[in-house]
Amino acid sequence: MNEPHIFSRYGGTRFLLALGCCVVNTLLLIFGYINEGTYQLLILGTVGAYITGHTVQNATSFFARGSNESNKQY
């Protein structure tokens, strides 16, 4: 029996990594190592990478199942 990964309880590895990146970026902003424009770009990049990764994973798992018109069940 497959047990779920420990990180799946908290949203998954990719989500926790994106959240950690956002926390680090916020700390860099608070302590003055980056400015607001850089912070904005880092957050947009992190969220964009998260969304892209999720989309790619869904697409590859969809096509890996062999889901085409001949396999649809109604």
Side-chain angles (χ1 to χ4, degrees):
M1 182 178 198
N2 275 341
E3 292 189 29
H5 196 268
I6 189 167
F7 292 133
S8 63
R9 180 185 314 171
Y10 303 108
T13 308
R14 186 176 41 250
F15 173 73
L16 292 175
L17 182 61
L19 188 64
C21 288
C22 290
V23 168
V24 169
N25 294 337
T26 302
L27 291 174
L28 288 173
L29 177 67
I30 289 171
F31 290 114
Y33 290 103
I34 59 175
N35 61 14
E36 292 86 4
T38 304
Y39 176 77
Q40 180 181 8
L41 288 175
L42 288 172
I43 294 297
L44 285 173
T46 301
V47 171
Y50 176 77
I51 292 170
T52 302
H54 185 70
T55 303
V56 168
Q57 182 182 11
N58 285 343
T60 55
S61 65
F62 176 78
F63 289 114
R65 289 189 307 240
S67 297
N68 55 25
E69 292 297 319
S70 63
N71 289 340
K72 281 190 175 180
Q73 295 179 356
Y74 295 99

